[in-house]
Structures are given as C-alpha cells and as structure tokens.
C-alpha cells in the first residue's frame, strides 16, 4: 500500500492504493438472479468491502476512484450448493428465544451454476471521506489504515465478491502495469446505501479502458430500487 503524489492546495490528498488478488472471484451481475455470472472486473462495492475488512470506522467511508486490472481476465465454471431461504433478523430472534426452532439445510439445499473469475489481481485506488459526525482529522484515519497494511492486519478476512473466495493483499506495491484490454462493461453496481427503508442500490456505466476502470464519485439510483435480499450459502 502506498499513496500517489500530493497535489497540495485544495486538491484531495493522494489516493490510498492497495493491491489484492486471489485464485477465484465472483462479482455477480444483478440481471442474473438464479445463476451467478460475474462481471469481468471487480466492482467498486466489492473493492470497498476489501478495504473495510482491513480497516473501518463509522466516522468515514471509502470512495473508490479507480480499479486497475493486473492479470489477464480468465473464467471458470463452478457448480455449488446453496440454500433457498434467506436469513432474517426475526428468524434469528425466534431461534434465540425458542430452542425448539430448527433449520434443516438438507431440505432447503439447491445446486446452482456459477461463472466466475480465476487468478485475479487488482490495484484499488480510494479516498477517505469523513462523515458529518467525524471529529478527528482525515490524516489520522489514513495513518491508521497504513499501519494496519504494514502489519498485514485485517478485522475480517477480505474476500472477492463472495465469502468463499478469500483475498490477499501485498504490503509493498508492485510496478505491474494494467492489462491492455478495453471493454464496455455496461451498468455496474456502484454502492449500497443503508437507510430506514432498507438498502438502496446506486449504479454507473462502467468501462474498462486499457485495463483501468475509473469510478465516478456518485452512482445513480433507480426509481424501482427495492430493499436488498441476500442468499445464504450452504
């Protein structure tokens, strides 16, 4: 992890830069609900999840600005077990209050196909944005992030789109250039916002140009956005 050159003045501070990779990754396209098909590139929301696994405080959020693809895009097909039901807070409360409540995964299991990526490596560029209730300067959080990177520490295991696909990061950045690949990626998930009515998705038109995907500061909401549902894996 390192930072790019400081521009000074009123320009934003240099970006935090992290290189991550793993043997498998799946950044699921939302238009495929029953079977999982990955985007060919890591999404900003997945990149944000990796950084938050390393270091996070409620006083700030990460703004992903750029993702570099460092390894050739390779595909793999996997058939795996999943469950149909969704875990809810009400069910957990009921199970905690009544020990006779049981869940039998064998009665709920289903097999689904997944088209995912293999042997992936990315370079994530991000800024730290303070929330309104933050009282400490932004440099403090940036320094804390750097120290955790130097130690190879993380709050939870980072993953690449789905928790089965663990991610690792390097303490010292490489000089690997982005791959020479350009592709229109279509509509991509930008971020998930959490409010009183549930989760709301924001989107942007993504393009990979010479191995680099630039991410706008804000995504756009869809008028038909509904609270998110999360499949529970077997």
């Amino acid at each position: 992890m390192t930072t790019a050159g400081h521009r000074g003045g009123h320009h934003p501070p240099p970006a935090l830069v992290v290189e991550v990779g793993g043997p498998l990754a799946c950044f699921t396209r939302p238009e495929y609900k029953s079977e999982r098909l990955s985007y060919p590139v890591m999404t900003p929301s997945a990149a944000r999840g990796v950084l938050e696994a390393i270091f996070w405080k409620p006083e700030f959020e990460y703004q992903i600005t750029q993702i570099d693809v460092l390894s050739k895009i390779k595909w793999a097909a996997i058939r795996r077990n999943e469950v149909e039901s969704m875990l809810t807070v009400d069910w957990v409360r009921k199970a905690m209050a009544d020990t006779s409540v049981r869940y039998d995964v064998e009665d709920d299991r289903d097999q689904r196909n997944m088209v995912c990526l293999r042997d992936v490596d990315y370079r994530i560029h991000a800024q730290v944005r303070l929330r309104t209730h933050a009282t400490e300067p932004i440099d403090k959080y940036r320094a804390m992030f750097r120290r955790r990177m130097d130690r190879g520490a993380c709050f939870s295991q980072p993953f690449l789109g789905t928790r089965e696909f663990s991610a690792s990061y390097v303490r010292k950045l490489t000089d690997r250039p982005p791959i020479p690949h350009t592709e229109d990626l279509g509509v991509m998930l930008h971020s998930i916002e959490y409010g009183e009515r549930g989760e709301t998705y924001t989107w942007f038109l993504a393009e990979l140009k010479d191995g680099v995907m630039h991410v706008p500061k804000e995504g756009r909401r869809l008028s038909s956005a509904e609270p998110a549902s999360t499949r529970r894996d077997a």
Side-chain angles (χ1 to χ4, degrees):
M1 187 280 300
T2 188
T3 56
H6 196 341
R7 298 176 182 175
H10 297 289
H11 291 288
L16 299 174
V17 184
V18 181
E19 288 185 11
V20 298
L24 291 169
C26 185
F27 311 108
T28 306
R29 301 190 73 106
E31 59 266 43
Y32 295 87
K33 294 183 178 180
S34 58
E35 308 291 343
R36 293 175 184 254
L37 174 63
S38 177
Y39 284 105
V41 178
M42 170 184 265
T43 61
S45 59
R48 191 175 301 109
V50 169
L51 300 185
E52 291 177 349
I54 298 170
F55 176 65
W56 180 81
K57 292 283 186 181
E59 288 80 9
F60 73 87
E61 63 181 355
Y62 293 106
Q63 178 197 344
I64 307 300
T65 58
Q66 179 179 321
I67 297 175
D68 302 340
V69 181
L70 305 181
S71 295
K72 182 180 179 181
I73 298 173
K74 303 176 185 177
W75 297 93
I78 296 175
R79 192 169 182 82
R80 68 177 197 165
N81 293 327
E82 296 185 356
V83 295
E84 293 286 344
S85 302
M86 293 181 293
L87 184 65
T88 65
V89 175
D90 289 340
W91 189 92
V92 172
R93 289 173 176 167
K94 184 178 180 181
M96 292 176 66
D98 184 357
T99 56
S100 65
V101 175
R102 291 288 187 273
Y103 172 75
D104 189 348
V105 68
E106 295 296 335
D107 292 338
D108 200 28
R109 181 170 289 165
D110 191 16
Q111 285 196 325
R112 297 180 186 276
N113 290 321
M114 171 190 287
V115 179
C116 58
L117 303 165
R118 60 184 176 91
D119 301 329
V120 300
D121 292 287
Y122 303 105
R123 184 179 296 128
I124 302 170
H125 304 250
Q127 289 286 351
V128 173
R129 293 200 304 188
L130 295 179
R131 299 185 188 275
T132 55
H133 64 277
T135 57
E136 301 291 342
I138 193 171
D139 288 344
K140 176 180 178 179
Y141 302 112
R142 292 169 59 88
M144 294 172 72
F145 184 89
R146 285 194 291 269
R147 287 197 294 271
R148 293 189 64 82
M149 286 290 297
D150 292 341
R151 298 201 310 268
C154 54
F155 287 121
S156 60
Q157 176 63 50
F159 57 91
L160 298 167
T162 182
R163 292 187 183 276
E164 296 97 317
F165 299 159
S166 299
S168 58
Y169 62 85
V170 298
R171 300 186 186 184
K172 185 177 181 180
L173 293 180
T174 70
D175 57 358
R176 299 172 62 184
I179 61 173
H181 181 80
T182 298
E183 181 178 350
D184 182 358
L185 304 175
V187 177
M188 178 178 284
L189 177 64
H190 182 280
S191 58
I192 303 175
E193 299 176 357
Y194 300 91
E196 296 180 354
R197 300 180 59 185
E199 301 171 358
T200 302
Y201 301 109
T202 61
W203 310 85
F204 73 109
L205 287 175
E207 180 185 16
L208 187 67
K209 188 173 183 180
D210 294 327
V212 177
M213 182 176 73
H214 294 282
V215 182
K217 186 176 181 179
E218 305 287 347
R220 292 188 176 184
R221 295 183 182 182
L222 299 179
S223 57
S224 59
E226 297 179 350
S229 60
T230 304
R231 175 179 293 125
R232 187 161 47 123
D233 298 333

